[in-house]
Amino acid sequence: MKFEVEIDDALVGALTNSLGEQLQDEAKREQLAAFALKHVLKWMAGQTAYQSMTEQYTEWLTELLPIFYPDDVPSTERIFNNFSIPYGRAAYISRVLLEKQQTIWRQRGKANLLASLKGKEAEAQANNDKGEALKYVPVSLDSISYRELTVILEVIFRIDTTLAPPVNKAVSPGRRTVDIPSQLFPKLIESLEA
């Protein structure tokens, strides 16, 4: 069933420049319209009942962020500045979205981490072949890759507590350099490729 609706320009004009400009794209308008209509109809049919505004915002942003910012991870600043959500609530929601297991951001973090490790795999393998398994190899990671690294390491260290841990060397906005022992590379790559 097809619905057509006209939206007052003042409503679109009240959005941030980033969102307003993106709505010039017909495909994005259609995605937003489908999202809005779906959620209103589910509400009217009694299929959705949120326990709090935070729960509602989290569910909505799970769908809206990939429409408007498909290449960016959820950030407090993006949610606060573009969706009129109070800063504390935006911080909480961004953490929740990054913690969800099956999200595009977690998949992207794993893919980025694997690419970063593969880029240094030859160096780590050379160290392992020379009997220098504890020699560190520096790897530059973005925030979501680092988050995935910590999740995987927690599992690896639960199985083998004798392994040497990575060391954080440098942090800059959105990136960090981590020195990873060569012996961890095969385990990390195997875990990511599983």
Side-chain angles (χ1 to χ4, degrees), residues 54 61 74-80 85-98:
T54 302
L61 287 167
S75 72
T76 301
E77 293 74 19
R78 170 119 24 239
I79 293 168
F80 172 73
I85 294 177
Y87 193 84
R89 190 174 284 174
Y92 172 78
I93 291 170
S94 70
R95 285 193 310 273
V96 168
L97 292 176
L98 287 172

Side-chain angles (χ1 to χ4, degrees), residues 68-82:
F68 291 106
Y69 305 103
D71 298 325
D72 299 337
V73 296
S75 72
T76 301
E77 293 74 19
R78 170 119 24 239
I79 293 168
F80 172 73
N81 289 321
N82 292 296

Side-chain angles (χ1 to χ4, degrees), residues 174-185:
R175 293 211 70 81
R176 70 176 65 216
T177 300
V178 181
D179 283 355
I180 301 175
S182 296
Q183 68 181 358
L184 285 180
F185 274 75

Side-chain angles (χ1 to χ4, degrees), residues 72-158:
D72 299 337
V73 296
S75 72
T76 301
E77 293 74 19
R78 170 119 24 239
I79 293 168
F80 172 73
N81 289 321
N82 292 296
F83 296 96
S84 299
I85 294 177
Y87 193 84
R89 190 174 284 174
Y92 172 78
I93 291 170
S94 70
R95 285 193 310 273
V96 168
L97 292 176
L98 287 172
E99 291 292 323
K100 284 187 167 188
Q101 284 296 324
Q102 301 302 323
T103 64
I104 60 169
W105 304 293
R106 292 289 305 271
Q107 293 166 5
R108 188 173 297 132
K110 289 175 183 174
N112 291 353
L113 176 58
L114 182 60
S116 296
L117 292 171
K118 287 281 197 175
K120 298 287 188 142
E121 183 179 26
E123 183 179 345
Q125 187 59 49
N127 293 338
N128 289 331
D129 291 344
K130 290 188 276 184
E132 298 175 339
L134 296 179
K135 188 170 183 180
Y136 285 97
V137 177
V139 179
S140 177
L141 302 173
D142 60 18
S143 299
I144 58 173
S145 300
Y146 180 75
R147 192 242 172 262
E148 292 306 320
L149 175 66
T150 62
V151 169
I152 294 168
L153 287 173
E154 186 176 320
V155 173
I156 289 173
F157 289 139
R158 214 178 300 136

